[in-house]
Amino acid sequence: MTRNRIADAVANMPMRAGSFWKQDAQGGILALFANRKVHYAFQTRVAIHAACDVLGLQDGDEILAPAYNCGSEVDPLVQAGLKVRLYPVGKDLRTDPARIEPLISDRTRAIYVTHYFGILQPELTALRALCNNYGLRMIEDCALSLLSGKSPAEGRTGDISVFCFHKFVPVPEGGALVVNAPDLTAAAPFPRPAPGKVVAKIVARSTLVNVLGSTRARILKRALSGGSGMTEPDHVTTDEIDDIPGHYYFDPDLQRRRISVVASRQLRSFSVSDTIKIRRANWHRYRERLEKVQGVEMLKSELETETCPLIMPLVVNGRDRAARDLQARGIGATPWWAGFHRNLDWTGQDEAIALKNQVLSLPLHQYLSEDHIDHIVSALQEVLSS
């Protein structure tokens, strides 16, 4: 799609109601958190770790978390000394209170709820009622749904909600912890500065990817570190299942570190409304093109008016090979959430395991044109037919 055609598509898409549209030009992403008890962390996982302290969770307390998880969001809970027990998540991605309630025990103190791919959980009211009935706290993970909702940065149901910025905005890092429960306080949960060397490294890597592309950047990185430059596996093998990548595990040195000045400045000048419209337009273009591709199943066949998608998630047989082949063509496809946190009990979680083994993500961010999407779908079709 040419720039003019993108502009026309954006201009013709319906606006959502809400005061944030007026704030957009004034405060960017940070305007979404106006008049809320918000604290900005170096990473979302840092915010999650801090949430355990704010909620008063103690070593050995149990928290129920979704079996369909990345691992990086669960590890801060483990590092905080909590016993993480998984609850089932099916292909509909729905967090079902009826499947959670039987798992609640005398040790349970909180429930962790995740919004997937920008899609807000439909049972939030019932989940809140479940927590209230049992005296439990709720952590609401909005890392993938920052720009969804009647007013983006929705996340108002959990006692605490956490957000991620770099998934939607070209910033080096940054997340938010929002305290919703009126009985909770979080006085300066992030007193430590962002680690300067880590920020510089992230910025340098991002610049390299922008110049060379992700595939060439990975090859150069391995060559400079003495590697072969060939594609390496994204995760290592344990005795029974593939582990998550090592960098997904929580780094204790990041505890209580706040967002960097570099990231916070960029967030103030970012256009929220344009991003939402373009991402939604890209999702619809994908749906149109993917209808002609054999061997692909869309996890979500329709996009609600209030959803701003993070990626285009697909169920694909031979997902890992397809991801490698697309990456070799310079396409930023990923085997979404491949690997399993080694300290969790995955017994009986067949539905979530299937999702972790089969979901392929395709990029649909705001910097893609219609022509880019057409190229990605054509490449996917070739890869799946080879």
Side-chain angles (χ1 to χ4, degrees):
M1 181 186 281
T2 65
R3 291 183 181 274
N4 287 338
R5 289 171 66 194
I6 288 180
D8 290 342
V10 169
N12 291 327
M13 294 191 71
M15 280 278 193
R16 279 184 274 168
S19 61
F20 90 93
W21 295 106
K22 297 178 181 178
Q23 300 169 345
D24 191 17
Q26 302 173 6
I29 292 290
L30 299 188
L32 302 179
F33 298 95
N35 302 317
R36 299 174 74 176
K37 293 192 290 185
V38 59
H39 306 272
Y40 297 107
F42 177 67
Q43 291 177 339
T44 307
R45 62 188 78 174
V46 175
I48 295 169
H49 192 278
C52 298
D53 293 332
V54 176
L55 292 172
L57 300 178
Q58 304 294 317
D59 188 65
D61 285 348
E62 181 179 81
I63 184 169
L64 303 181
Y68 188 41
N69 61 67
C70 167
S72 65
E73 81 280 46
V74 178
D75 198 56
L77 306 174
V78 175
Q79 293 298 321
L82 304 185
K83 170 64 176 177
V84 178
R85 187 178 184 187
L86 300 180
Y87 62 77
V89 177
K91 208 170 189 178
D92 60 1
L93 305 176
R94 178 170 165 260
T95 298
D96 185 352
R99 302 185 79 180
I100 295 177
E101 186 170 13
L103 302 178
I104 298 173
S105 72
D106 292 340
R107 296 177 56 192
T108 307
R109 296 292 179 269
I111 296 176
Y112 194 99
V113 177
T114 299
H115 302 295
Y116 298 107
F117 310 118
I119 304 164
L120 298 178
Q121 287 290 345
E123 300 288 345
L124 281 176
T125 300
L127 289 165
R128 181 70 264 175
L130 180 67
C131 289
N132 293 344
N133 289 342
Y134 285 89
L136 306 179
R137 295 294 194 176
M138 182 196 295
I139 300 177
E140 188 177 355
D141 188 333
C142 307
L144 311 184
S145 63
L146 172 67
L147 301 182
S148 293
K150 292 181 179 178
S151 294
E154 198 80 14
R156 298 174 184 272
T157 304
D159 295 276
I160 285 178
S161 56
V162 295
F163 297 83
C164 181
F165 299 134
H166 70 82
K167 296 181 185 301
F168 289 90
V169 184
V171 293
E173 34 68 30
L177 180 150
V178 177
V179 179
N180 296 313
D183 63 315
L184 294 177
T185 58
F190 309 115
R192 302 174 67 201
K197 290 183 179 180
V198 176
V199 174
K201 184 177 180 180
I202 295 173
V203 172
R205 182 169 63 243
S206 177
T207 301
L208 191 64
V209 169
N210 288 337
V211 173
L212 298 178
S214 57
T215 301
R216 291 188 179 92
R218 284 196 299 269
I219 292 173
L220 177 61
K221 178 182 176 182
R222 293 185 181 114
L224 291 175
S225 63
S228 65
M230 300 299 289
T231 300
E232 298 174 1
D234 292 326
H235 43 268
V236 296
T237 301
T238 64
D239 290 340
E240 298 181 357
I241 57 177
D242 288 339
D243 196 2
I244 58 175
H247 65 276
Y248 280 20
Y249 288 97
F250 187 68
D251 180 358
D253 182 59
L254 298 180
Q255 290 184 48
R256 308 185 73 191
R257 289 193 181 271
R258 59 179 174 266
I259 193 171
S260 71
V261 174
V262 174
S264 59
R265 283 178 178 172
Q266 290 174 307
L267 289 171
R268 294 181 186 279
S269 60
F270 191 78
S271 173
V272 173
S273 53
D274 286 351
T275 297
I276 293 172
K277 294 176 190 176
I278 295 173
R279 280 177 173 266
R280 286 180 55 83
N282 286 346
W283 189 93
H284 286 287
R285 180 60 181 173
Y286 265 124
R287 184 182 66 175
E288 175 187 332
R289 290 297 316 277
L290 286 168
E291 290 178 351
K292 305 172 185 177
V293 180
Q294 297 294 321
V296 167
E297 179 184 352
M298 295 182 62
L299 265 183
K300 192 75 174 174
S301 59
E302 298 293 335
L303 196 66
E304 288 84 356
T305 304
E306 297 166 1
T307 297
C308 176
L310 172 68
I311 58 170
M312 174 56 76
L314 308 173
V315 175
V316 177
N317 290 327
R319 184 274 311 271
D320 291 349
R321 181 188 67 82
R324 286 195 298 269
D325 290 350
L326 289 171
Q327 289 171 7
R329 296 172 182 234
I331 294 172
T334 62
W336 188 257
W337 287 357
F340 301 82
H341 191 292
R342 60 175 174 258
N343 295 320
L344 300 181
D345 182 3
W346 295 92
T347 304
Q349 302 297 345
D350 294 347
E351 296 167 288
I353 290 172
L355 286 170
K356 287 178 70 63
N357 286 332
Q358 295 179 351
V359 173
L360 175 75
S361 78
L362 299 179
L364 55 62
H365 54 75
Q366 58 269 26
Y367 305 107
L368 291 178
S369 69
E370 192 174 72
D371 289 340
H372 288 136
I373 292 172
D374 290 349
H375 168 71
I376 292 169
V377 174
S378 295
L380 175 64
Q381 193 165 18
E382 292 175 6
V383 163
L384 293 179
S385 63
S386 63

